[in-house]
């Protein structure tokens, strides 16, 4: 089992990350939270500190817009110092862009790429270089089932998440001999603020806490990949294997 005792979370105010942080703190871990919105970060830190208790582990963090690549090295160095070393990194931030708006605007397409793809990869690049010489640790990032096959309804988002998954695959290959586990997290439909505009009826929807439980378990086990909930592995297998001639008749 991998230690998650000192974990830094990027995009910590995300509903999935918040639920994950609660589970880590409940297990006695120190957590360093990095988030864009200062007021929401304060609320998150208060919540975690109350749960940790007065004698509990370190809970801290700082504000940053993670689209700003120049901030990443300092954020990681300060997290490392605050935690007294990093056991695990979770990259959770992301946005669900309007596909049609992105298709009509290259600047919008590239902006969501920065948030969902480029910035996550940049943070992971620095974290990999930090952990590799230490010979241990866990790097995890939240991708999406949307990255498994390009679909007309969300291929901009899917492209970024798919690229992130390939990137993580490469990092995993590179870091395996050095004792660092690299996890690709692929949630399906999760009831969070990101999906506020969607119809949430039906059995495919999961809560942030259900997904958080899967994230913590997969990080501890040093897994390579986690579809969450697990049934998405089979749904996405079917979607990937569907021939174009059939797939192009759907409006997925
Ligand atoms: N919900 C789903 O169905 C679903 C499915 C598959 C994958 N995911 C992925 O799961 C992750 C967490 O999303 P969620 O569902 O928990 O949604 P969420 O609650 O809306 O969280 C998204 C978070 O990303 C942060 N963020 C966005 N851009 C940022 C930036 N430039 N710098 C720093 N933080 C930034 C947001 O911060 P602000 O508060 O400042 O906006 C927010 O805290 C994302 O990577 C998402 O793509 C979600």
């Amino acid at each position: 089992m991998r230690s998650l005792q000192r974990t830094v979370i990027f995009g910590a105010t995300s509903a999935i990350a918040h639920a994950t942080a609660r589970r880590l703190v409940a297990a006695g871990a120190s957590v360093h939270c990095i988030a864009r919105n200062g007021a929401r970060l304060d609320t998150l830190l208060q919540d975690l500190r109350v749960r940790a208790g007065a004698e509990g582990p370190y809970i801290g963090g700082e504000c940053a817009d993670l689209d700003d690549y120049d901030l990443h090295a300092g954020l990681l160095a300060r997290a490392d110092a605050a935690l007294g070393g990093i056991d695990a990194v979770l990259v959770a931030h992301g946005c669900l862009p309007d596909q049609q708006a992105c298709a009509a605007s290259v600047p919008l397409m590239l902006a969501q790429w920065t948030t969902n793809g480029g910035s996550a990869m940049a943070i992971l690049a620095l974290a990999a270089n930090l952990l590799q010489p230490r010979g241990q640790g866990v790097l995890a990032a939240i991708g999406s089932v949307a990255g498994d096959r390009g679909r007309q309804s969300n291929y901009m988002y899917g492209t970024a998440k798919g690229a992130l998954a390939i990137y993580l695959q490469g990092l995993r290959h590179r870091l395996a001999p050095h004792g660092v586990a690299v996890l690709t997290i692929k949630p399906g439909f999760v009831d969070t603020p990101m999906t506020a505009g969607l119809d949430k009826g039906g059995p495919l929807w999961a809560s942030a806490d259900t997904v958080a439980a899967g994230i913590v378990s997969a990080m501890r086990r040093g897994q390579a990949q986690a579809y969450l909930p697990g049934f998405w592995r089979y749904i996405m297998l079917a979607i990937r294997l569907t021939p174009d001639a059939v797939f192009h008749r759907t409006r997925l």
Side-chain angles (χ1 to χ4, degrees):
M1 286 294 184
R2 301 277 176 162
S3 172
L4 308 180
Q5 198 56 33
R6 299 168 297 176
T7 298
V8 51
I9 304 180
F10 291 86
T13 53
S14 110
I16 294 173
H18 189 154
T20 305
R22 281 182 173 176
R23 285 183 169 270
L24 291 171
V25 167
S30 295
V31 179
H32 189 82
C33 298
I34 297 166
R36 178 168 58 181
N37 182 305
R40 293 186 58 204
L41 177 61
D42 287 345
T43 305
L44 167 71
L45 293 178
Q46 268 178 28
D47 173 62
L48 296 178
R49 284 178 183 138
V50 167
R51 286 164 188 271
E55 303 297 314
Y58 161 83
I59 309 287
E62 66 173 301
C63 256
D65 183 339
L66 297 173
D67 285 354
D68 187 342
Y69 293 97
D70 292 340
L71 299 180
H72 295 170
L75 289 167
L76 195 65
R78 288 189 292 279
D80 196 41
L83 288 165
I86 291 173
D87 295 315
V89 178
L90 174 63
V91 176
H93 67 287
C95 63
L96 185 62
D98 181 310
Q99 169 64 34
Q100 287 188 355
C102 283
S105 160
V106 170
L108 277 184
M109 177 183 85
L110 294 177
Q112 78 80 29
W113 161 262
T114 296
T115 303
N116 289 318
S119 69
M121 293 179 197
I123 291 164
L124 289 160
L126 297 171
N129 292 345
L130 188 74
L131 294 188
Q132 179 173 330
R134 295 182 184 176
Q136 62 166 6
V138 180
L139 296 178
I142 307 184
S144 171
V145 294
D148 276 16
R149 184 169 189 173
R151 292 182 286 121
Q152 59 89 27
S153 59
N154 72 351
Y155 63 85
M156 299 293 185
Y157 176 73
T159 296
K161 294 296 193 180
L164 179 60
I166 296 288
Y167 180 81
L168 288 163
Q169 195 176 42
L171 269 189
R172 186 153 50 242
H173 191 204
R174 167 186 148 193
L175 294 176
H178 300 278
V180 179
V182 179
L183 168 66
T184 308
I185 300 156
K186 295 185 175 181
F189 298 144
V190 193
D191 184 2
T192 70
M194 179 175 283
T195 50
L198 304 183
D199 175 7
K200 296 189 178 175
L204 296 183
W205 284 86
S207 70
D209 189 52
T210 298
V211 170
I215 290 174
V216 172
S217 167
M219 288 175 75
R220 276 201 201 295
R221 289 163 188 259
Q223 267 175 237
Q225 178 173 265
Y227 284 93
L228 295 170
F231 58 75
W232 280 97
R233 165 188 296 272
Y234 305 105
I235 294 175
M236 296 318 297
L237 180 65
I239 288 182
R240 284 200 309 276
L241 292 178
T242 303
D244 278 355
V246 177
F247 199 66
H248 291 171
R249 283 192 225 120
T250 73
R251 297 300 295 160
L252 287 170

